[in-house]
Amino acid sequence: ETGVTQTPRHLVMGMTNKKSLKCEQHLGHNAMYWYKQSAKKPLELMFVYNFKEQTENNSVPSRFSPECPNSSHLFLHLHTLQPEDSALYLCASSPKGVVGIGSPLHFGNGTRLTVT
Amino acid sequence: GNSVTQMEGPVTLSEEAFLTINCTYTATGYPSLFWYVQYPGEGLQLLLKATKADDKGSNKGFEATYRKETTSFHLEKGSVQVSDSAVYFCALSELSNTGKLIFGQGTTLQVKP
C-alpha cells in the first residue's frame, strides 16, 4: 500500500475512445501531480494541482484534461489519443507544493496505457 | 534551464559488487537533490535526498553526496544484492512554489546472482 492508489492498472483504448484515469491519495497531502513515463525518456511533468487549483500545465495537448475535485482525488480524462500517447501515467502527491525540503513526492504504481 | 543527466544503462553487476551511478545537474541557485528507485511494476519511491552542499543522503546501504563544486550527486552502494535490481532516477527540485521535480532519464541496474 503506497498511500497513493491509481486505477486502472492497465488500460487499452482506441483512438476514438474516451476514458479516465483515477488517482486517490490517503496521505493528507495538498498537492497532486500527473507524470508521463515513456520508454527511454525522462519523466515528463504534465500537471500540478495545489489545494485543488491547477498551478502548472506543462504544454500538454488538450486531448489530456485533468480534474481535481478535492485534495485527495485527481483524474486525467483522455479523448482522441494517439498511439504515441501510450505510456505509464504516474500520479504523485506531496504535503504541499514545495518539494525542496522534507516533502518529497509519493508516487502511485501508475496506469499502463496502450492506445491502439 | 535546469536539467539532470545520468549515466546510461543498463548497468549489470554481480551480487556483492560495488555500485556507482553517476548523476550531474545544471541548475540556478541551490536545489535539493533526490534519488528515486522504481522496482518492476511499481511507481517511484524516494531512496534518499540531500538539501544542501556537502550533505550526504543515505538509505538501505545506498549513499550520495551533494557536491556543489562538481554539480554531482552520484549514487553508491558497497555491496549490491539481486533485490536492488531496479531503475534509479536522479532528480532535482526547482526553487519555486509549484513543487516541480526535474528527473534524469533513469538508469537500469541488473544484479546477477
Side-chain angles (χ1 to χ4, degrees):
Chain A
E1 177 60 52
T2 65
V4 180
T5 304
Q6 289 188 243
T7 55
R9 289 297 307 272
H10 301 273
L11 177 63
V12 179
M13 60 185 289
M15 290 189 286
T16 58
N17 291 160
K18 290 184 180 181
K19 297 287 185 182
S20 296
L21 309 185
K22 179 181 177 182
C23 176
E24 183 174 1
Q25 57 96 359
H26 312 279
L27 301 169
H29 291 169
N30 293 309
M32 297 188 77
Y33 311 75
W34 280 116
Y35 279 86
K36 177 182 178 182
Q37 184 177 24
S38 304
K40 301 188 186 302
K41 293 176 65 175
L43 268 73
E44 302 172 53
L45 178 64
M46 301 175 72
F47 302 104
V48 181
Y49 279 82
N50 275 297
F51 297 94
K52 304 186 298 179
E53 299 297 321
Q54 187 179 127
T55 54
E56 179 131 1
N57 177 338
N58 203 22
S59 302
V60 180
S62 60
R63 58 186 183 270
F64 295 91
S65 175
E67 178 189 2
C68 188
N70 54 62
S71 293
S72 299
H73 294 85
L74 183 65
F75 296 89
L76 188 63
H77 304 300
L78 315 171
H79 66 97
T80 59
L81 294 191
Q82 304 299 313
E84 60 265 28
D85 296 322
S86 298
L88 181 68
Y89 288 85
L90 291 165
C91 175
S93 69
S94 66
K96 50 187 175 181
V98 180
V99 297
I101 299 175
S103 58
L105 295 180
H106 295 254
F107 284 86
N109 287 334
T111 294
R112 174 69 63 187
L113 174 67
T114 303
V115 181
T116 60
Chain B
N2 297 337
S3 65
V4 175
T5 302
Q6 293 179 233
M7 63 187 290
E8 288 196 25
V11 174
T12 302
L13 296 173
S14 298
E15 209 164 19
E16 299 183 4
F18 184 86
L19 168 71
T20 300
I21 299 178
N22 290 338
C23 171
T24 56
Y25 67 90
T26 301
T28 54
Y30 303 98
S32 292
L33 301 173
F34 304 83
W35 276 101
Y36 281 80
V37 59
Q38 185 177 31
Y39 299 103
E42 299 183 10
L44 280 70
Q45 303 173 28
L46 178 68
L47 181 60
L48 53 84
K49 69 178 189 282
T51 58
K52 60 183 186 295
D54 300 324
D55 265 4
K56 177 185 284 188
S58 61
N59 185 26
K60 300 180 181 179
F62 291 89
E63 294 183 339
T65 301
Y66 190 142
R67 301 286 188 199
K68 179 173 174 292
E69 63 277 12
T70 54
T71 61
S72 65
F73 193 54
H74 304 321
L75 183 68
E76 297 181 336
K77 186 175 185 181
S79 176
V80 294
Q81 305 300 313
V82 172
S83 57
D84 293 326
S85 298
V87 183
Y88 292 82
F89 293 89
C90 186
L92 68 80
S93 64
E94 291 195 329
L95 299 176
S96 70
N97 290 325
T98 63
K100 186 173 179 178
L101 278 183
I102 305 298
F103 286 90
Q105 72 271 34
T107 302
T108 299
L109 170 65
Q110 298 173 339
V111 180
K112 298 187 174 181

